[in-house]
Amino acid sequence: MSTLPQDARSTILVPGRLTAASIAPVWQRATQVLARNPDRAVIVDASELEYADASGIALLFHLLTLKRSHGAEISIRNLRPKVDAILKRFDARLAQNTHAASSSPPIVERIGQAVVQNLREAALRVQFVGKAVAALAASIVRPGRMRWGQIVALIEAAGADALPIVALVGFLMGVIIAFEIGNVARQFGAVLYVVNGVGIGLLRELAPLMTAIVFAGRSGAAFAAEIGTQKVNDELSALTTFGLDPAAYLVVPRLIASLIAVPLLAVVADIAGLVGGALVMLRFDVSFTQFYYQLVSAAHVGDVVIGIAKAAAFGVLVAGIGCERGLATGIGAAAVGLSATRAVVASIVVVVAADGIFAVLLDRIGL
Amino acid sequence: MAREIIRAENLTIGYGSRVLLQNVSFSVAQSEIVVILGGSGSGKSSLMKHVIGLYAPLAGDILIEGKSIVNAFGPERAALQRKLGIMYQSGGLFGSMSVLENVRFPLDEFTDMPDEAKNLTARMQLDMVAMTEAQDLMPAELSGGMLKRAAIARAMALGSDILMLDEPSAGLDPITAANLDQTILSLRDLLGFTFVVVTHELQSIFAIADRALMLDGHARGIVAEGKPAELRDNSADTRVRQFFNRLPDARAEMAA
C-alpha cells in the first residue's frame, strides 16, 4: 500500500494493471480527483503498478503533461523505472490536440467548394462525352480494330442474361395496365379500346423505359463498378502507359454492346407485355383474335420503331453514364460502391428526362 | 525460462485432403521474437492463420497462454484472439476510416474509455511506429511502409502484447524495412512484446530474430530451428544453408 502521508482526496491511486479493458473507471476517477482539486497539488501513486499497456501509458502520459496552475501540479510517485523510460520516449506535444480534427469550414466556404467541385465535374463530363463520341467514330471508321469478342461477351452479360428479368417486368407491365385501363373502360362499354391503350403505351413508352431502368440497375451499375475497380487497381494507369486511351478501350465496346443489346431487350419487353395484356383482356371477353386485329389497326410499325429507337438511345445514355462514373471513381473500395450508386441514380434521372424530350420532339414532327 | 505464450502441439494443418504441415510442435516464450520462415508455399501464412484461430487444424492443438484456441468457441475464442494483435499481409486497414480511426476502432468497440483517452492512446500507438504525421490520412493515401506501420499500431490497440506479423517487410525499401525492424525491436525491449513474424527477408531475419523456425513444403514440417546465424553457418541440412546463404539450387548441390 501507499506509504505516502497524503490526503486521500488529492491522491490518484494507480491499480496493479492498467489495460484498455479496465482503464475506463481509473481514467474517470482521475478526472474527478483533478476536478475536485483545481488549486491543490495532486499525487499519483504508482507504487502498485506492475503492468501497463498502451492505454495505461496514455493515462500516465496524460497526467504528466496536463497543464495545471502553479502550486497545483501533478506529481507521479513510485513509478517503475521501466515505465518511466517508456514515458520519456514520447514528445509532450502528442498530448495537445487529442481531439481529432473535426472542425468543418464555415458554410460559405463549403458552398463555394461544392460549386467549384460540381463545375469541375460538369466540365469533366462534357470532356468525356466528346472523347467517347470521337472514340466511337474512330472505331466505326476502322471496325477491324474493334475487339468483337469482348463486345459479344458484354452483349451476353448485359443483354442475354437480362432476358428473364426484362420479360418478367414487361409481362407484368402489360398485365397491370390492361387491368387498370380495362376496369375504367368497361364502365363506358369501350373495352375493345383498351387494346389501343395497352399497345401504344407499351410499344412507345413503357417497354423502352422499363427496359432502360432494368438495364441501369443491372449493367449501368456493373460498368461503373468494373471500371471503378480497374481504376482503383491501377489498371487504367497501365492502359494509359501502354499508349491506350482508357475511354476508347473500355467505353467504346460497352457503348456498342448497349446499342445492340438494349433494343433487343425492348423487343422482348414488347412481346411479353402484349402477351400479358392479351391474357388479361380474356377476362374482359376480348379474344386473342380480337386483340390481334384491334392491335394491328391501332398501333403502327412506326410505334414499334420509335420504341426501339428510344431504347437504343437510353442504352447508350445508361452505358455512357456508367462508364463515366466508373472513370471518375475516387480512391478506395468505398469509392467503387459510391460510383455504382451514382451511376444508377443519374441513369434513371437522365433516361426519364430524355423520354420527356423525345415525347415533345416526336409530337412536334407529328409522329 | 520465460513464461510460455504460444504452444503448438503435434499440429497438422491443411485444406481438405491437401496436408501442408504434419506433426509440427513449437513454442514461443514471452518477449521473444520468433521468425517463421521458409520458401514460397511452405505454409508460413497458413500456419499463422491457424495459430490465431482463423482456421481449425486437422489435428493437434494450439495453446495461447495455456488455453486451447482450437477447443474454444464463441466468446471464449474471441477473448483469446483479442490477446493477439495481427498485422495481415496487405495491412487489412479499413478503407473507410482514417489512420487514427483505424487504430482507435478496437478501443471504440471494446472499451468504455472517454474519447480523450482513446484519442491519446491511439496517437501514442501511432507515435511508437512514427506515424503521428499521417493520422488523418485515409489508408488509400498511404505508402506501403506507412500502411504496414499503421497496421502494427492497430494490432497493438487492445493492449495485445503478442503481435503476429505476416510479411511485414515484404515489398519495402531497405531503409523503411530497417526502420520497421527497429520498431519491432524497441517494442520488445521497452514494452516486452512477444512477436511471431512470418517473413523470408534474410536481412530482417538476422536483425530481429531470437529464434527461427524454418518450414519446408516437401518435408511438411519444421526442418530447422535455432538462432539464424547458427543455422546459416552450422546447419547440417543443405537446404537450410542454401536458404540462409541465398544460394541457387545448382551451387548448393556443388557445395554438398
Side-chain angles (χ1 to χ4, degrees):
Chain A
M1 260 313 288
S2 169
T3 52
L4 297 160
Q6 180 64 33
D7 188 346
R9 278 176 306 167
S10 60
T11 301
I12 298 167
L13 193 63
V14 180
R17 283 177 68 80
L18 272 182
T19 60
S22 62
I23 201 165
V26 183
W27 200 299
Q28 272 156 15
R29 207 163 52 235
T31 313
Q32 281 167 12
V33 170
L34 292 175
R36 253 182 298 161
N37 300 286
D39 348 281
R40 221 162 130 191
V42 171
I43 304 263
V44 178
D45 181 3
S47 55
E48 285 183 22
L49 180 66
E50 284 185 2
Y51 176 81
D53 71 0
S55 62
I57 301 285
L59 171 60
L60 294 172
F61 184 73
H62 169 68
L63 295 172
L64 208 60
T65 52
L66 213 56
K67 292 269 181 296
R68 301 258 294 176
S69 58
H70 185 69
E73 286 90 353
I74 303 170
S75 52
I76 300 184
R77 303 255 172 99
N78 303 329
L79 196 60
R80 293 185 169 220
K82 214 169 170 182
V83 182
D84 196 40
I86 296 167
L87 279 172
K88 288 215 166 68
R89 269 178 47 106
F90 292 101
D91 192 324
R93 274 174 302 177
L94 262 185
Q96 295 153 14
N97 173 35
T98 45
H99 299 282
S102 62
S103 61
S104 48
I107 183 108
V108 180
E109 198 178 324
R110 268 184 292 161
I111 291 173
Q113 278 173 349
V115 169
V116 170
Q117 177 74 14
N118 278 317
L119 284 176
R120 271 205 198 114
E121 279 183 16
L124 284 174
R125 232 159 272 172
V126 171
Q127 216 178 4
F128 171 80
V129 171
K131 262 191 184 171
V133 168
L136 195 58
S139 47
I140 287 168
V141 174
R142 284 185 299 175
R145 293 278 305 274
M146 212 102 82
R147 294 182 315 288
W148 290 104
Q150 192 194 357
I151 293 176
V152 170
L154 282 165
I155 291 175
E156 191 186 334
D161 294 350
L163 275 179
I165 182 80
V166 167
L168 178 68
V169 170
F171 178 82
L172 291 175
M173 289 313 297
V175 167
I176 293 162
I177 52 170
F179 190 74
E180 295 289 349
I181 304 177
N183 272 338
V184 177
R186 188 160 55 182
Q187 295 166 19
F188 307 103
V191 173
L192 203 56
Y193 293 102
V194 174
V195 180
N196 299 38
V198 172
I200 293 175
L202 262 179
L203 296 177
R204 282 179 74 115
E205 288 295 334
L206 283 170
L209 197 61
M210 294 313 291
T211 306
I213 288 172
V214 170
F215 184 71
R218 277 186 90 257
S219 305
F223 292 167
E226 279 165 19
I227 296 178
T229 308
Q230 288 184 302
K231 179 167 183 187
V232 170
N233 290 340
D234 280 337
E235 287 179 43
L236 297 193
S237 312
L239 281 176
T240 311
T241 48
F242 280 136
L244 292 166
D245 180 10
Y249 191 86
L250 297 170
V251 177
V252 169
R254 285 175 170 81
L255 289 180
I256 293 175
S258 308
L259 198 58
I260 297 169
V262 180
L264 293 176
L265 286 174
V267 172
V268 171
D270 283 345
I271 295 168
L274 291 175
V275 169
L279 283 175
V280 170
M281 292 315 289
L282 288 178
R283 192 170 166 270
F284 296 104
D285 299 323
V286 176
S287 72
F288 286 143
T289 324
Q290 280 174 299
F291 186 94
Y292 172 76
Y293 283 111
Q294 186 66 25
L295 182 69
V296 171
S297 70
H300 307 286
V301 178
D303 295 320
V304 180
V305 172
I306 285 170
I308 291 173
K310 273 161 79 167
F314 294 162
V316 171
L317 283 173
V318 169
I321 290 169
C323 293
E324 194 270 334
R325 289 287 90 201
L327 289 171
T329 298
I331 34 183
V336 175
L338 196 64
S339 289
T341 309
R342 283 185 175 164
V344 174
V345 174
S347 295
I348 291 174
V349 172
V350 168
V351 161
V352 173
D355 198 32
I357 294 170
F358 272 120
V360 173
L361 287 180
L362 291 171
D363 183 54
R364 281 287 162 85
I365 59 174
L367 277 172
Chain B
M1 178 71 192
R3 197 159 64 101
E4 195 174 71
I5 297 284
I6 299 172
R7 174 170 195 80
E9 286 171 349
N10 302 321
L11 203 59
T12 298
I13 66 172
Y15 301 100
S17 59
R18 199 162 68 93
V19 174
L20 283 173
L21 297 170
Q22 204 144 30
N23 268 328
V24 171
S25 298
F26 64 88
S27 68
V28 179
Q30 189 164 30
S31 300
E32 192 180 21
I33 300 179
V34 172
V35 165
I36 297 175
L37 51 91
S40 303
S42 58
K44 302 184 298 282
S45 295
S46 294
L47 176 61
M48 194 173 106
K49 284 180 178 151
H50 281 79
V51 170
I52 63 184
L54 281 185
Y55 300 111
L58 299 178
D61 202 357
I62 293 149
L63 307 173
I64 309 290
E65 293 184 345
K67 292 198 193 85
S68 166
I69 197 164
V70 178
N71 299 317
F73 296 98
E76 222 179 313
R77 167 177 291 203
L80 281 176
Q81 281 172 333
R82 278 205 294 277
K83 288 180 190 291
L84 308 167
I86 295 131
M87 192 212 87
Y88 296 95
Q89 225 172 80
S90 49
L93 294 179
F94 304 118
S96 56
M97 300 179 189
S98 73
V99 169
L100 187 76
E101 286 165 342
N102 258 289
V103 177
R104 217 183 54 190
F105 173 77
L107 298 173
D108 286 334
E109 289 295 309
F110 291 109
T111 75
D112 307 319
M113 290 161 67
D115 274 357
E116 182 193 31
K118 284 187 285 203
N119 282 332
L120 183 60
T121 306
R123 280 165 59 82
M124 292 179 78
Q125 280 166 346
L126 284 170
D127 189 64
M128 288 181 208
V129 293
M131 281 287 289
T132 32
E133 304 284 304
Q135 65 171 20
D136 294 322
L137 296 181
M138 302 301 282
E141 298 171 295
L142 300 181
S143 70
M146 291 161 97
L147 209 63
K148 301 210 167 176
R149 282 184 286 152
I152 292 180
R154 190 183 66 176
M156 302 187 296
L158 274 185
S160 319
D161 49 10
I162 312 166
L163 294 189
M164 321 277 290
L165 314 181
D166 195 357
E167 308 249 1
S169 46
L172 299 185
D173 71 84
I175 298 174
T176 312
N179 285 339
L180 201 60
D181 289 345
Q182 211 54 52
T183 305
I184 292 170
L185 285 172
S186 66
L187 285 174
R188 191 271 301 270
D189 294 342
L190 280 170
L191 297 170
F193 279 41
T194 308
F195 282 92
V196 177
V197 183
V198 171
T199 185
H200 45 215
E201 300 281 317
L202 279 176
Q203 283 175 314
S204 188
I205 294 168
F206 289 122
I208 61 172
D210 295 321
R211 202 148 53 86
L213 302 175
M214 183 166 171
L215 303 181
D216 186 85
H218 298 292
R220 290 179 183 169
I222 298 173
V223 288
E225 183 177 350
K227 286 195 194 316
E230 283 172 18
L231 292 179
R232 174 188 58 195
D233 301 329
N234 307 325
S235 175
D237 191 326
T238 329
R239 266 198 312 264
V240 176
R241 284 205 311 277
Q242 190 187 353
F243 185 97
F244 280 102
N245 290 303
R246 205 172 174 276
L247 296 175
D249 281 337
R251 290 251 318 270
E253 275 158 30
M254 278 179 354

